[in-house]
Short mmCIF file of all heavy atoms in Angstrom, two decimals:
data_model
loop_
_atom_site.label_atom_id
_atom_site.label_comp_id
_atom_site.label_asym_id
_atom_site.label_seq_id
_atom_site.Cartn_x
_atom_site.Cartn_y
_atom_site.Cartn_z
N GLY A 30 17.87 49.80 -26.66
CA GLY A 30 17.80 48.83 -25.56
C GLY A 30 18.74 47.66 -25.76
O GLY A 30 19.43 47.23 -24.83
N ILE A 31 18.79 47.13 -26.99
CA ILE A 31 19.71 46.03 -27.29
C ILE A 31 21.15 46.48 -27.09
O ILE A 31 21.99 45.75 -26.55
CB ILE A 31 19.49 45.54 -28.73
CG1 ILE A 31 18.10 44.88 -28.85
CG2 ILE A 31 20.58 44.54 -29.13
CD1 ILE A 31 17.74 44.48 -30.26
N TYR A 32 21.44 47.71 -27.52
CA TYR A 32 22.79 48.24 -27.32
C TYR A 32 23.13 48.34 -25.84
O TYR A 32 24.25 48.06 -25.42
CB TYR A 32 22.91 49.62 -27.97
CG TYR A 32 24.22 50.31 -27.66
CD1 TYR A 32 25.43 49.80 -28.14
CD2 TYR A 32 24.26 51.45 -26.86
CE1 TYR A 32 26.63 50.41 -27.85
CE2 TYR A 32 25.46 52.07 -26.57
CZ TYR A 32 26.65 51.55 -27.06
OH TYR A 32 27.84 52.16 -26.75
N GLY A 33 22.14 48.72 -25.02
CA GLY A 33 22.37 48.83 -23.59
C GLY A 33 22.77 47.50 -22.97
O GLY A 33 23.69 47.43 -22.14
N VAL A 34 22.08 46.43 -23.35
CA VAL A 34 22.41 45.10 -22.84
C VAL A 34 23.82 44.70 -23.27
O VAL A 34 24.63 44.23 -22.45
CB VAL A 34 21.39 44.06 -23.34
CG1 VAL A 34 21.82 42.65 -22.92
CG2 VAL A 34 20.01 44.37 -22.79
N MET A 35 24.12 44.90 -24.55
CA MET A 35 25.44 44.56 -25.07
C MET A 35 26.53 45.38 -24.37
O MET A 35 27.58 44.85 -24.00
CB MET A 35 25.48 44.82 -26.57
CG MET A 35 26.82 44.51 -27.23
SD MET A 35 26.83 44.90 -28.99
CE MET A 35 26.74 46.71 -28.92
N ARG A 36 26.25 46.66 -24.15
CA ARG A 36 27.25 47.55 -23.54
C ARG A 36 27.53 47.14 -22.10
O ARG A 36 28.68 47.17 -21.64
CB ARG A 36 26.76 48.99 -23.58
CG ARG A 36 27.85 50.01 -23.24
CD ARG A 36 28.86 50.02 -24.36
NE ARG A 36 29.89 51.03 -24.16
CZ ARG A 36 31.07 50.80 -23.61
NH1 ARG A 36 31.36 49.57 -23.21
NH2 ARG A 36 31.97 51.75 -23.49
N ALA A 37 26.49 46.76 -21.36
CA ALA A 37 26.66 46.36 -19.97
C ALA A 37 27.49 45.08 -19.87
O ALA A 37 28.36 44.95 -19.00
CB ALA A 37 25.29 46.16 -19.30
N ILE A 38 27.23 44.13 -20.78
CA ILE A 38 27.97 42.87 -20.75
C ILE A 38 29.44 43.11 -21.05
O ILE A 38 30.33 42.60 -20.35
CB ILE A 38 27.37 41.87 -21.77
CG1 ILE A 38 25.96 41.46 -21.32
CG2 ILE A 38 28.26 40.64 -21.91
CD1 ILE A 38 25.22 40.59 -22.31
N PHE A 39 29.72 43.89 -22.07
CA PHE A 39 31.11 44.17 -22.42
C PHE A 39 31.80 45.00 -21.35
O PHE A 39 33.00 44.83 -21.09
CB PHE A 39 31.19 44.88 -23.77
CG PHE A 39 31.14 43.96 -24.95
CD1 PHE A 39 29.92 43.57 -25.49
CD2 PHE A 39 32.30 43.45 -25.50
CE1 PHE A 39 29.87 42.70 -26.57
CE2 PHE A 39 32.27 42.59 -26.58
CZ PHE A 39 31.05 42.20 -27.11
N ALA A 40 31.06 45.90 -20.71
CA ALA A 40 31.65 46.71 -19.65
C ALA A 40 32.06 45.85 -18.47
O ALA A 40 33.05 46.14 -17.78
CB ALA A 40 30.64 47.78 -19.18
N ALA A 41 31.30 44.77 -18.21
CA ALA A 41 31.64 43.86 -17.11
C ALA A 41 32.99 43.21 -17.32
O ALA A 41 33.65 42.80 -16.36
CB ALA A 41 30.56 42.80 -16.96
N PHE A 42 33.43 43.12 -18.58
CA PHE A 42 34.75 42.56 -18.89
C PHE A 42 35.75 43.65 -19.24
O PHE A 42 36.83 43.38 -19.77
CB PHE A 42 34.63 41.56 -20.05
CG PHE A 42 33.83 40.33 -19.71
CD1 PHE A 42 32.47 40.27 -20.01
CD2 PHE A 42 34.42 39.25 -19.07
CE1 PHE A 42 31.72 39.14 -19.70
CE2 PHE A 42 33.68 38.12 -18.76
CZ PHE A 42 32.33 38.06 -19.07
N ASN A 43 35.34 44.89 -18.95
CA ASN A 43 36.21 46.06 -19.17
C ASN A 43 36.61 46.21 -20.64
O ASN A 43 37.73 46.61 -20.96
CB ASN A 43 37.47 45.99 -18.30
CG ASN A 43 38.10 47.36 -18.10
OD1 ASN A 43 37.41 48.37 -18.02
ND2 ASN A 43 39.41 47.41 -18.01
N VAL A 44 35.68 45.87 -21.53
CA VAL A 44 35.92 45.99 -22.97
C VAL A 44 35.13 47.18 -23.50
O VAL A 44 33.90 47.21 -23.41
CB VAL A 44 35.50 44.71 -23.72
CG1 VAL A 44 35.69 44.89 -25.22
CG2 VAL A 44 36.28 43.52 -23.21
N GLY A 45 35.84 48.16 -24.02
CA GLY A 45 35.19 49.33 -24.58
C GLY A 45 35.38 49.38 -26.09
O GLY A 45 36.34 48.84 -26.62
N PHE A 46 34.44 50.00 -26.79
CA PHE A 46 34.59 50.12 -28.24
C PHE A 46 34.32 51.54 -28.71
O PHE A 46 33.64 51.77 -29.69
CB PHE A 46 33.70 49.13 -29.00
CG PHE A 46 32.46 48.71 -28.26
CD1 PHE A 46 31.40 49.57 -28.07
CD2 PHE A 46 32.39 47.44 -27.73
CE1 PHE A 46 30.27 49.17 -27.40
CE2 PHE A 46 31.26 47.02 -27.05
CZ PHE A 46 30.19 47.90 -26.88
N GLY A 47 34.88 52.50 -27.98
CA GLY A 47 34.87 53.87 -28.48
C GLY A 47 33.85 54.80 -27.86
O GLY A 47 34.01 56.00 -27.91
N GLY A 48 32.77 54.27 -27.29
CA GLY A 48 31.80 55.13 -26.65
C GLY A 48 30.94 55.90 -27.65
O GLY A 48 30.67 55.45 -28.76
N VAL A 49 30.55 57.10 -27.24
CA VAL A 49 29.60 57.89 -28.02
C VAL A 49 30.17 58.28 -29.38
O VAL A 49 29.53 58.12 -30.42
CB VAL A 49 29.19 59.16 -27.24
CG1 VAL A 49 28.30 60.05 -28.10
CG2 VAL A 49 28.45 58.77 -25.96
N ALA A 50 31.40 58.80 -29.38
CA ALA A 50 31.97 59.32 -30.63
C ALA A 50 32.29 58.25 -31.65
O ALA A 50 32.07 58.43 -32.85
CB ALA A 50 33.23 60.13 -30.31
N SER A 51 32.80 57.12 -31.18
CA SER A 51 33.30 56.10 -32.11
C SER A 51 32.37 54.92 -32.33
O SER A 51 32.66 54.05 -33.16
CB SER A 51 34.65 55.56 -31.61
OG SER A 51 35.59 56.60 -31.54
N PHE A 52 31.24 54.86 -31.61
CA PHE A 52 30.33 53.74 -31.83
C PHE A 52 28.87 54.18 -31.89
O PHE A 52 28.14 53.82 -32.81
CB PHE A 52 30.50 52.68 -30.75
CG PHE A 52 29.87 51.35 -31.11
CD1 PHE A 52 30.56 50.44 -31.89
CD2 PHE A 52 28.59 51.03 -30.68
CE1 PHE A 52 29.98 49.22 -32.24
CE2 PHE A 52 28.01 49.82 -31.03
CZ PHE A 52 28.70 48.91 -31.81
N VAL A 53 28.44 54.98 -30.91
CA VAL A 53 27.04 55.40 -30.89
C VAL A 53 26.70 56.23 -32.12
O VAL A 53 25.71 55.98 -32.81
CB VAL A 53 26.73 56.20 -29.60
CG1 VAL A 53 25.33 56.81 -29.68
CG2 VAL A 53 26.84 55.30 -28.38
N ARG A 54 27.53 57.23 -32.41
CA ARG A 54 27.22 58.13 -33.53
C ARG A 54 27.30 57.42 -34.90
O ARG A 54 26.38 57.54 -35.71
CB ARG A 54 28.15 59.34 -33.53
CG ARG A 54 27.82 60.38 -34.59
CD ARG A 54 28.85 61.47 -34.63
NE ARG A 54 30.15 60.97 -35.05
CZ ARG A 54 30.51 60.80 -36.32
NH1 ARG A 54 29.67 61.09 -37.28
NH2 ARG A 54 31.70 60.34 -36.63
N PRO A 55 28.38 56.65 -35.18
CA PRO A 55 28.47 56.06 -36.51
C PRO A 55 27.71 54.75 -36.69
O PRO A 55 27.49 54.32 -37.82
CB PRO A 55 29.97 55.82 -36.69
CG PRO A 55 30.47 55.59 -35.30
CD PRO A 55 29.64 56.45 -34.41
N VAL A 56 27.31 54.08 -35.61
CA VAL A 56 26.67 52.78 -35.74
C VAL A 56 25.24 52.78 -35.18
O VAL A 56 24.27 52.44 -35.89
CB VAL A 56 27.50 51.68 -35.03
CG1 VAL A 56 26.79 50.32 -35.14
CG2 VAL A 56 28.89 51.59 -35.64
N ILE A 57 25.08 53.13 -33.91
CA ILE A 57 23.77 53.05 -33.27
C ILE A 57 22.79 54.06 -33.85
O ILE A 57 21.63 53.73 -34.12
CB ILE A 57 23.90 53.25 -31.74
CG1 ILE A 57 24.83 52.18 -31.15
CG2 ILE A 57 22.53 53.18 -31.08
CD1 ILE A 57 24.37 50.76 -31.43
N MET A 58 23.22 55.30 -34.06
CA MET A 58 22.31 56.32 -34.59
C MET A 58 21.81 55.98 -36.01
O MET A 58 20.62 56.13 -36.28
CB MET A 58 22.98 57.68 -34.56
CG MET A 58 23.10 58.28 -33.16
SD MET A 58 21.54 58.30 -32.25
CE MET A 58 20.52 59.30 -33.35
N PRO A 59 22.68 55.52 -36.93
CA PRO A 59 22.14 55.10 -38.23
C PRO A 59 21.15 53.95 -38.13
O PRO A 59 20.19 53.87 -38.89
CB PRO A 59 23.40 54.69 -39.01
CG PRO A 59 24.49 55.48 -38.39
CD PRO A 59 24.15 55.54 -36.94
N MET A 60 21.39 53.04 -37.18
CA MET A 60 20.46 51.93 -36.99
C MET A 60 19.13 52.43 -36.44
O MET A 60 18.05 51.97 -36.85
CB MET A 60 21.07 50.89 -36.03
CG MET A 60 22.29 50.19 -36.61
SD MET A 60 23.00 48.96 -35.49
CE MET A 60 21.78 47.67 -35.57
N ALA A 61 19.18 53.40 -35.52
CA ALA A 61 17.94 54.00 -35.00
C ALA A 61 17.18 54.72 -36.10
O ALA A 61 15.95 54.64 -36.19
CB ALA A 61 18.28 54.96 -33.86
N GLU A 62 17.92 55.42 -36.96
CA GLU A 62 17.29 56.11 -38.09
C GLU A 62 16.71 55.10 -39.08
O GLU A 62 15.62 55.30 -39.62
CB GLU A 62 18.32 56.99 -38.79
CG GLU A 62 17.76 57.81 -39.93
CD GLU A 62 18.79 58.73 -40.54
OE1 GLU A 62 19.90 58.85 -39.97
OE2 GLU A 62 18.49 59.34 -41.59
N GLY A 63 17.43 54.00 -39.30
CA GLY A 63 16.95 52.96 -40.19
C GLY A 63 15.67 52.31 -39.67
O GLY A 63 14.79 51.93 -40.47
N ALA A 64 15.54 52.21 -38.35
CA ALA A 64 14.33 51.64 -37.76
C ALA A 64 13.13 52.53 -38.03
O ALA A 64 12.02 52.04 -38.25
CB ALA A 64 14.53 51.45 -36.26
N ILE A 65 13.34 53.84 -38.02
CA ILE A 65 12.25 54.78 -38.31
C ILE A 65 11.82 54.64 -39.76
O ILE A 65 10.62 54.59 -40.08
CB ILE A 65 12.70 56.23 -38.02
CG1 ILE A 65 13.02 56.39 -36.54
CG2 ILE A 65 11.61 57.21 -38.44
CD1 ILE A 65 13.60 57.75 -36.18
#
């Protein structure tokens, strides 16, 4: 959810940081696993 808010804000300024392959998989997924 936090990533969704951050992604929407950055998208409004047309700023991308790699999408699924370059950000979700190496950053968001380990954080989700760490939360578990």
Side-chain angles (χ1 to χ4, degrees):
I31 293 175
Y32 172 66
V34 174
M35 179 182 69
R36 193 69 176 96
I38 293 174
F39 277 87
F42 294 94
N43 201 34
V44 177
F46 26 72
V49 175
S51 300
F52 195 84
V53 172
R54 185 186 65 82
V56 178
I57 301 302
M58 287 308 301
M60 293 180 72
E62 183 176 352
I65 297 174

